Amino acid sequence: MKHHSVLRVAFSVVLLLMLCTAAFAVNVPNPTPEFYVNDFAGVLSQETKDVILEKNEQLNQATGAQIVVAVVDNAGGLSMENLAYKMFNQWKIGDAEENNGVLLLLSIEDDDYHCLQGKGLERLLPTTTLSRILQEDLEPDFAAKDYDAGVYKTFLTLYDELDSIYANGGTASYGDTSDGLGFKEMLAILIIGIGLISILTEATQWVRYHFPFGSGFATGYTAGRMSGSRRRYSGRSYRSSGRSSSGRSHSSFHSGGGGSSRGGGAGRGH
């Protein structure tokens, strides 16, 4: 009885860890050492990369804002919007306090793109403006598969927009940036809850069998453990808070820590 109970508890723990890992796994690549330009698909010219790096250095030093360009082969099964959101927040694009980053993401095999702004730019650089920029500067070249030309034009327009915002005294505007939990996060919470209940049930049976204190002690002990677990679990947050990450610099340029909320940004529209 003892041997089987221990094995069942251990199996439940391992299964729970595997489910948690699968639930929260995200297919997001790490940024390149240059950070501002991430050409994983190999479609950008050196001239375009140099312009992106040079302009970003100027912009970041003056305002803390960052315009990051990422080109991937495919979105790895994620939607473009979801990949852009996760990439933006994991890479911490933009200033930690101003949340003034911009991500331009292209997926070659998916024939799609998405542009996402930081929380602090949702009013000053709204989705309508991003959509106009994408349609005018990126879409024609993207449709013709001239990705380098499209990225070059789009980046310069985004740079001019941010430069104009700050030249006119614009500052980041936070507003209501709450984004709630997505379906995958809610599913993960449900899986974890079921796993915890299973583990606690096994633990209760094991305590009742091995400790001669009666069922009252075991029930009280387990209830206390369950209450403590719930309190600790409910206090966790899986959303990006835009906190500073000055100790996690990806390059000599990157000193960001910003975040973006769901619902912003603009895509190709199909």
Side-chain angles (χ1 to χ4, degrees):
M1 175 67 180
K2 177 180 178 180
H3 178 70
H4 290 294
S5 297
V6 172
L7 286 178
R8 289 167 65 183
V9 171
F11 176 77
S12 298
V13 172
V14 172
L15 179 61
L16 176 61
L17 292 175
M18 293 175 62
L19 290 173
C20 290
T21 301
F24 289 107
V26 291
N27 190 15
V28 177
N30 292 323
T32 63
E34 291 79 16
F35 185 74
Y36 293 130
V37 56
N38 305 265
D39 184 18
F40 300 113
V43 299
L44 301 182
S45 66
Q46 190 59 49
E47 178 186 1
T48 296
K49 294 178 181 179
D50 290 341
V51 169
I52 294 173
L53 293 173
E54 179 183 355
K55 292 289 187 181
N56 263 299
E57 183 179 9
Q58 298 171 4
L59 183 67
N60 185 243
Q61 289 180 353
T63 68
Q66 298 173 330
I67 305 173
V68 174
V69 175
V71 185
V72 297
D73 290 319
N74 58 73
L78 298 176
S79 68
M80 288 295 290
E81 180 181 1
N82 198 15
L83 177 60
Y85 171 78
K86 292 178 181 297
M87 185 179 288
F88 197 115
N89 287 284
Q90 287 191 28
W91 289 9
K92 301 185 183 298
I93 300 172
D95 181 77
E97 295 182 358
E98 296 293 323
N99 284 295
N100 53 358
V102 176
L103 171 65
L104 176 61
L105 173 65
L106 285 72
S107 177
I108 304 305
E109 294 177 7
D110 296 312
D111 196 33
D112 206 353
Y113 50 74
H114 196 84
C115 188
L116 184 62
Q117 77 278 61
K119 298 174 184 178
L121 290 174
E122 290 178 349
R123 180 177 65 85
L124 299 171
L125 188 64
T127 297
T128 53
T129 300
L130 292 179
S131 296
R132 174 181 58 79
I133 293 173
L134 293 176
Q135 285 301 310
E136 294 178 358
D137 294 325
L138 181 59
E139 175 59 29
D141 290 318
F142 189 89
K145 300 187 184 306
D146 190 353
Y147 308 113
D148 183 70
V151 167
Y152 186 87
K153 296 174 186 176
T154 306
F155 173 81
L156 289 181
T157 301
L158 290 171
Y159 175 85
D160 289 341
E161 286 285 340
L162 288 183
D163 185 59
S164 177
I165 288 172
Y166 284 98
N168 293 324
T171 56
S173 173
Y174 294 99
D176 182 10
T177 59
S178 59
D179 51 22
L181 294 176
F183 173 76
K184 290 185 177 180
E185 287 80 5
M186 294 178 64
L187 179 61
I189 291 175
L190 177 62
I191 292 174
I192 291 174
I194 294 174
L196 286 173
I197 292 174
S198 175
I199 292 174
L200 290 172
T201 300
E202 294 289 347
T204 300
Q205 295 176 352
W206 189 85
V207 170
R208 285 178 175 175
Y209 182 80
H210 290 87
F211 291 90
F213 298 105
S215 60
F217 170 83
T219 304
Y221 174 79
T222 305
R225 289 287 301 278
M226 181 181 294
S227 176
S229 298
R230 287 175 177 169
R231 285 196 295 271
R232 290 192 296 272
Y233 181 73
S234 62
R236 296 180 64 184
S237 173
Y238 296 98
R239 293 177 296 162
S240 173
S241 60
R243 60 186 181 277
S244 175
S245 62
S246 58
R248 298 175 56 188
S249 176
H250 295 288
S251 71
S252 59
F253 299 121
H254 181 224
S255 59
S260 178
S261 58
R262 290 188 187 274
R268 197 176 189 190
H270 66 258

Short mmCIF file of all heavy atoms in Angstrom, two decimals, residues 59 63 65 67 98 100-102 117 120-126 129-130 132-133 157-173:
data_model
loop_
_atom_site.label_atom_id
_atom_site.label_comp_id
_atom_site.label_asym_id
_atom_site.label_seq_id
_atom_site.Cartn_x
_atom_site.Cartn_y
_atom_site.Cartn_z
N LEU A 59 17.15 57.01 -31.84
CA LEU A 59 15.83 57.11 -31.23
C LEU A 59 15.85 56.69 -29.76
O LEU A 59 15.26 57.36 -28.90
CB LEU A 59 14.84 56.24 -32.01
CG LEU A 59 13.38 56.28 -31.57
CD1 LEU A 59 12.78 57.66 -31.81
CD2 LEU A 59 12.58 55.21 -32.30
N THR A 63 14.83 59.17 -26.73
CA THR A 63 13.47 59.02 -26.19
C THR A 63 13.24 57.73 -25.40
O THR A 63 12.25 57.62 -24.69
CB THR A 63 12.44 59.05 -27.33
OG1 THR A 63 12.60 57.87 -28.14
CG2 THR A 63 12.63 60.27 -28.20
N ALA A 65 12.51 55.06 -26.92
CA ALA A 65 11.66 54.25 -27.80
C ALA A 65 12.52 53.32 -28.64
O ALA A 65 13.70 53.58 -28.88
CB ALA A 65 10.83 55.16 -28.71
N ILE A 67 12.19 50.55 -32.22
CA ILE A 67 11.43 49.94 -33.31
C ILE A 67 12.16 48.67 -33.71
O ILE A 67 13.21 48.72 -34.36
CB ILE A 67 11.31 50.88 -34.52
CG1 ILE A 67 10.71 52.22 -34.10
CG2 ILE A 67 10.46 50.23 -35.61
CD1 ILE A 67 10.72 53.26 -35.21
N GLU A 98 8.02 54.05 -20.04
CA GLU A 98 7.17 54.65 -21.08
C GLU A 98 6.41 53.62 -21.91
O GLU A 98 5.41 53.95 -22.53
CB GLU A 98 8.03 55.51 -22.01
CG GLU A 98 8.67 56.72 -21.34
CD GLU A 98 7.65 57.75 -20.91
OE1 GLU A 98 6.66 57.95 -21.64
OE2 GLU A 98 7.83 58.36 -19.84
N ASN A 100 7.15 52.35 -24.82
CA ASN A 100 7.04 53.03 -26.11
C ASN A 100 7.76 52.29 -27.23
O ASN A 100 8.39 52.91 -28.08
CB ASN A 100 7.58 54.46 -26.00
CG ASN A 100 9.00 54.50 -25.42
OD1 ASN A 100 9.57 53.47 -25.06
ND2 ASN A 100 9.55 55.69 -25.32
N GLY A 101 7.66 50.99 -27.24
CA GLY A 101 8.28 50.20 -28.30
C GLY A 101 7.32 49.90 -29.44
O GLY A 101 6.10 50.03 -29.30
N VAL A 102 7.88 49.51 -30.58
CA VAL A 102 7.10 49.09 -31.74
C VAL A 102 7.76 47.84 -32.31
O VAL A 102 8.98 47.78 -32.43
CB VAL A 102 7.03 50.18 -32.82
CG1 VAL A 102 6.30 49.66 -34.06
CG2 VAL A 102 6.35 51.43 -32.29
N GLN A 117 2.26 48.03 -31.23
CA GLN A 117 2.82 49.11 -30.46
C GLN A 117 2.76 48.82 -28.97
O GLN A 117 1.96 48.01 -28.51
CB GLN A 117 2.09 50.44 -30.77
CG GLN A 117 0.72 50.61 -30.11
CD GLN A 117 -0.39 49.93 -30.86
OE1 GLN A 117 -0.38 48.72 -31.03
NE2 GLN A 117 -1.39 50.72 -31.28
N GLY A 120 2.21 52.33 -23.98
CA GLY A 120 2.25 53.78 -23.90
C GLY A 120 2.03 54.50 -25.20
O GLY A 120 1.88 55.72 -25.23
N LEU A 121 1.99 53.77 -26.32
CA LEU A 121 1.81 54.39 -27.63
C LEU A 121 0.43 54.12 -28.23
O LEU A 121 0.17 54.50 -29.37
CB LEU A 121 2.88 53.90 -28.61
CG LEU A 121 4.31 54.37 -28.35
CD1 LEU A 121 5.27 53.68 -29.31
CD2 LEU A 121 4.42 55.88 -28.50
N GLU A 122 -0.44 53.47 -27.48
CA GLU A 122 -1.73 53.07 -28.05
C GLU A 122 -2.60 54.27 -28.41
O GLU A 122 -3.47 54.16 -29.28
CB GLU A 122 -2.46 52.14 -27.08
CG GLU A 122 -1.80 50.77 -26.99
CD GLU A 122 -2.48 49.86 -26.00
OE1 GLU A 122 -3.35 50.34 -25.23
OE2 GLU A 122 -2.16 48.66 -25.98
N ARG A 123 -2.38 55.42 -27.75
CA ARG A 123 -3.13 56.63 -28.10
C ARG A 123 -2.38 57.47 -29.14
O ARG A 123 -2.98 58.00 -30.07
CB ARG A 123 -3.40 57.48 -26.86
CG ARG A 123 -4.18 58.76 -27.14
CD ARG A 123 -4.47 59.52 -25.87
NE ARG A 123 -3.25 59.99 -25.24
CZ ARG A 123 -2.65 61.14 -25.57
NH1 ARG A 123 -3.13 61.89 -26.53
NH2 ARG A 123 -1.55 61.50 -24.94
N LEU A 124 -1.07 57.59 -28.97
CA LEU A 124 -0.28 58.45 -29.86
C LEU A 124 0.01 57.79 -31.21
O LEU A 124 0.19 58.48 -32.21
CB LEU A 124 1.04 58.82 -29.17
CG LEU A 124 0.90 59.61 -27.86
CD1 LEU A 124 2.24 59.73 -27.16
CD2 LEU A 124 0.32 60.98 -28.15
N LEU A 125 0.10 56.46 -31.23
CA LEU A 125 0.32 55.71 -32.46
C LEU A 125 -0.74 54.61 -32.54
O LEU A 125 -0.46 53.43 -32.35
CB LEU A 125 1.73 55.11 -32.47
CG LEU A 125 2.20 54.45 -33.77
CD1 LEU A 125 2.29 55.47 -34.89
CD2 LEU A 125 3.57 53.77 -33.56
N PRO A 126 -1.99 54.99 -32.81
CA PRO A 126 -3.11 54.03 -32.74
C PRO A 126 -3.07 53.00 -33.85
O PRO A 126 -2.32 53.11 -34.83
CB PRO A 126 -4.34 54.94 -32.86
CG PRO A 126 -3.86 56.12 -33.64
CD PRO A 126 -2.43 56.33 -33.20
N THR A 129 -3.45 54.21 -37.45
CA THR A 129 -2.23 54.74 -38.07
C THR A 129 -1.33 53.61 -38.53
O THR A 129 -0.76 53.64 -39.63
CB THR A 129 -1.48 55.65 -37.08
OG1 THR A 129 -2.32 56.75 -36.71
CG2 THR A 129 -0.20 56.19 -37.71
N LEU A 130 -1.19 52.58 -37.69
CA LEU A 130 -0.37 51.43 -38.07
C LEU A 130 -0.93 50.75 -39.31
O LEU A 130 -0.18 50.35 -40.21
CB LEU A 130 -0.29 50.44 -36.91
CG LEU A 130 0.47 50.88 -35.66
CD1 LEU A 130 0.43 49.79 -34.59
CD2 LEU A 130 1.92 51.23 -36.00
N ARG A 132 -2.68 52.08 -41.72
CA ARG A 132 -2.40 52.92 -42.89
C ARG A 132 -0.95 52.76 -43.35
O ARG A 132 -0.68 52.63 -44.55
CB ARG A 132 -2.69 54.39 -42.56
CG ARG A 132 -2.29 55.36 -43.67
CD ARG A 132 -2.56 56.79 -43.27
NE ARG A 132 -1.87 57.17 -42.05
CZ ARG A 132 -0.57 57.49 -41.99
NH1 ARG A 132 0.19 57.46 -43.08
NH2 ARG A 132 -0.03 57.85 -40.84
N ILE A 133 -0.02 52.75 -42.40
CA ILE A 133 1.39 52.61 -42.74
C ILE A 133 1.66 51.27 -43.41
O ILE A 133 2.36 51.18 -44.42
CB ILE A 133 2.26 52.76 -41.48
CG1 ILE A 133 2.17 54.19 -40.95
CG2 ILE A 133 3.72 52.40 -41.77
CD1 ILE A 133 2.86 54.39 -39.60
N THR A 157 9.05 55.05 -42.08
CA THR A 157 7.80 55.74 -41.77
C THR A 157 7.48 55.64 -40.28
O THR A 157 7.06 56.62 -39.66
CB THR A 157 6.64 55.16 -42.60
OG1 THR A 157 6.93 55.29 -43.99
CG2 THR A 157 5.34 55.89 -42.29
N LEU A 158 7.69 54.46 -39.70
CA LEU A 158 7.48 54.30 -38.26
C LEU A 158 8.43 55.19 -37.47
O LEU A 158 8.05 55.81 -36.47
CB LEU A 158 7.68 52.83 -37.86
CG LEU A 158 6.61 51.85 -38.34
CD1 LEU A 158 7.07 50.41 -38.08
CD2 LEU A 158 5.28 52.11 -37.64
N TYR A 159 9.67 55.27 -37.94
CA TYR A 159 10.65 56.13 -37.28
C TYR A 159 10.20 57.60 -37.35
O TYR A 159 10.27 58.33 -36.34
CB TYR A 159 12.02 55.97 -37.94
CG TYR A 159 13.06 56.91 -37.40
CD1 TYR A 159 13.79 56.60 -36.24
CD2 TYR A 159 13.32 58.13 -38.03
CE1 TYR A 159 14.73 57.47 -35.73
CE2 TYR A 159 14.27 59.01 -37.53
CZ TYR A 159 14.97 58.67 -36.38
OH TYR A 159 15.89 59.55 -35.88
N ASP A 160 9.75 58.04 -38.52
CA ASP A 160 9.29 59.42 -38.66
C ASP A 160 8.08 59.70 -37.76
O ASP A 160 7.96 60.80 -37.20
CB ASP A 160 8.92 59.70 -40.12
CG ASP A 160 10.14 59.77 -41.03
OD1 ASP A 160 11.26 59.97 -40.50
OD2 ASP A 160 9.98 59.61 -42.26
N GLU A 161 7.20 58.72 -37.62
CA GLU A 161 6.03 58.89 -36.75
C GLU A 161 6.45 59.11 -35.30
O GLU A 161 5.98 60.03 -34.63
CB GLU A 161 5.11 57.67 -36.85
CG GLU A 161 4.32 57.57 -38.14
CD GLU A 161 3.16 58.55 -38.19
OE1 GLU A 161 2.73 59.03 -37.11
OE2 GLU A 161 2.69 58.83 -39.30
N LEU A 162 7.36 58.27 -34.80
CA LEU A 162 7.82 58.40 -33.42
C LEU A 162 8.63 59.68 -33.23
O LEU A 162 8.50 60.36 -32.21
CB LEU A 162 8.65 57.18 -33.02
CG LEU A 162 7.89 55.88 -32.81
CD1 LEU A 162 8.84 54.77 -32.34
CD2 LEU A 162 6.77 56.04 -31.80
N ASP A 163 9.45 59.99 -34.22
CA ASP A 163 10.24 61.21 -34.13
C ASP A 163 9.33 62.44 -34.07
O ASP A 163 9.58 63.37 -33.30
CB ASP A 163 11.16 61.31 -35.34
CG ASP A 163 12.11 62.49 -35.25
OD1 ASP A 163 12.89 62.56 -34.28
OD2 ASP A 163 12.09 63.35 -36.16
N SER A 164 8.25 62.42 -34.83
CA SER A 164 7.29 63.52 -34.82
C SER A 164 6.55 63.61 -33.49
O SER A 164 6.31 64.70 -32.96
CB SER A 164 6.28 63.36 -35.96
OG SER A 164 5.30 64.37 -35.94
N ILE A 165 6.19 62.45 -32.95
CA ILE A 165 5.48 62.42 -31.67
C ILE A 165 6.30 63.08 -30.57
O ILE A 165 5.82 63.94 -29.83
CB ILE A 165 5.14 60.96 -31.28
CG1 ILE A 165 4.02 60.42 -32.16
CG2 ILE A 165 4.74 60.87 -29.80
CD1 ILE A 165 3.74 58.95 -31.98
N TYR A 166 7.57 62.72 -30.50
CA TYR A 166 8.42 63.25 -29.44
C TYR A 166 8.88 64.68 -29.73
O TYR A 166 9.11 65.47 -28.83
CB TYR A 166 9.60 62.33 -29.20
CG TYR A 166 9.20 61.09 -28.44
CD1 TYR A 166 8.94 59.89 -29.12
CD2 TYR A 166 9.03 61.12 -27.06
CE1 TYR A 166 8.55 58.76 -28.43
CE2 TYR A 166 8.63 59.99 -26.37
CZ TYR A 166 8.39 58.82 -27.05
OH TYR A 166 7.99 57.70 -26.37
N ALA A 167 9.00 65.02 -31.01
CA ALA A 167 9.38 66.39 -31.38
C ALA A 167 8.28 67.37 -30.99
O ALA A 167 8.55 68.54 -30.67
CB ALA A 167 9.65 66.49 -32.87
N ASN A 168 7.02 66.91 -31.00
CA ASN A 168 5.89 67.74 -30.63
C ASN A 168 5.54 67.64 -29.16
O ASN A 168 4.45 68.03 -28.74
CB ASN A 168 4.66 67.36 -31.48
CG ASN A 168 4.86 67.70 -32.94
OD1 ASN A 168 5.48 68.72 -33.27
ND2 ASN A 168 4.34 66.86 -33.82
N GLY A 169 6.45 67.06 -28.36
CA GLY A 169 6.24 66.98 -26.93
C GLY A 169 5.38 65.83 -26.48
O GLY A 169 4.89 65.82 -25.34
N GLY A 170 5.18 64.86 -27.35
CA GLY A 170 4.36 63.71 -26.98
C GLY A 170 5.05 62.83 -25.96
O GLY A 170 6.26 62.69 -25.95
N THR A 171 4.27 62.28 -25.06
CA THR A 171 4.77 61.33 -24.08
C THR A 171 3.86 60.12 -24.06
O THR A 171 2.72 60.18 -24.53
CB THR A 171 4.83 61.94 -22.66
OG1 THR A 171 3.51 62.42 -22.31
CG2 THR A 171 5.81 63.10 -22.61
N ALA A 172 4.35 59.05 -23.50
CA ALA A 172 3.56 57.82 -23.46
C ALA A 172 2.30 58.02 -22.65
O ALA A 172 2.28 58.73 -21.65
CB ALA A 172 4.39 56.68 -22.87
N SER A 173 1.23 57.38 -23.09
CA SER A 173 -0.05 57.46 -22.39
C SER A 173 -0.49 56.04 -22.07
O SER A 173 -0.69 55.24 -22.96
CB SER A 173 -1.10 58.14 -23.29
OG SER A 173 -2.38 58.09 -22.70
#
